[in-house]
Amino acid sequence: MASFPATARLVRDESLSPQLRRVRLGNCLHHFAPFGFKATWNYLSVTHRVPVRVEVDPASLVRALDDLETTRALVLPGAAAFAARRRALKRQGHRFPAGLHPWNSRGFCGLAYCPDPQKYPADPLPVVVSRVLASYAAGVDPAGRCFVCGGEDRRPRRACRHCGVLPGGPGGRV
């Protein structure tokens, strides 16, 4: 499987058919899907008005990709810092990480996981991801408060009633 940047270049390649470019946008979600694959796909399709017959508006694919790339850029510094810490620990002989990677190291999928693909936060994707990253950095307890909307009535191992986000990803681990 090609990397996210290589696949993103194919989404922008206007010499390819719009249908193939749409498939490549879906391939980008295998590398980075903050709401999970289906919910992120639905979010991008609705927010950027990606039509079923994509040849009607192929520019919608680029709009969706721009949103995805902007959001991914927020996550990359943290991923690079984690990788650097892991390399240093491995040099010291610590072969297993002391704790879980904050976004469970599943290719950044599920950072703000939404189990229901039709229910995801209404805020822009970069705003949602920056809130989640800020909550992780501040050490906010996800058992009592939603990372995204700040809702106080969080139920353990259940998605937020307001925004649909389940902390800890598909496994529901926090």
Side-chain angles (χ1 to χ4, degrees):
M1 182 185 303
S3 66
F4 183 92
T7 308
R9 278 192 296 277
L10 294 174
V11 174
R12 293 188 194 300
D13 187 357
E14 293 182 6
S15 68
L16 299 175
S17 72
Q19 294 84 5
L20 184 58
R21 292 171 61 198
R22 181 183 180 133
V23 169
R24 297 301 179 225
L25 179 61
N27 290 349
C28 286
L29 295 182
H30 289 290
H31 295 284
F32 182 70
F35 296 156
F37 183 89
K38 290 180 181 180
T40 305
W41 181 262
N42 285 344
Y43 168 84
L44 293 173
S45 296
V46 170
T47 305
H48 300 291
R49 299 177 307 283
V50 178
V52 174
R53 295 186 59 225
V54 75
E55 58 273 0
V56 173
D57 184 16
S60 63
L61 298 172
V62 176
R63 290 192 305 266
L65 179 63
D66 288 341
D67 194 14
L68 203 58
E69 285 179 324
T70 301
T71 307
R72 185 173 176 266
L74 296 172
V75 176
L76 289 179
F82 177 78
R85 282 193 309 273
R86 284 295 301 133
R87 279 192 300 276
L89 287 171
K90 284 180 180 181
R91 279 193 295 272
Q92 295 172 3
H94 303 286
R95 302 309 294 174
F96 299 100
L100 284 177
H101 194 282
W103 35 90
N104 298 329
S105 49
R106 284 189 293 268
F108 307 112
C109 292
L111 177 59
Y113 181 69
C114 301
D116 180 359
Q118 301 300 321
K119 185 170 182 170
Y120 42 80
D123 294 325
L125 194 56
V127 171
V128 170
V129 169
S130 62
R131 283 182 191 157
V132 171
L133 293 175
S135 295
Y136 275 127
V140 174
D141 179 20
R145 186 171 156 228
C146 178
F147 283 168
V148 176
C149 67
E152 296 288 337
D153 60 340
R154 280 263 320 119
R155 300 165 295 170
R157 298 184 188 186
R158 299 235 175 129
C160 177
R161 296 175 187 164
H162 308 290
C163 65
V165 172
L166 175 66
R173 292 175 294 160
V174 177

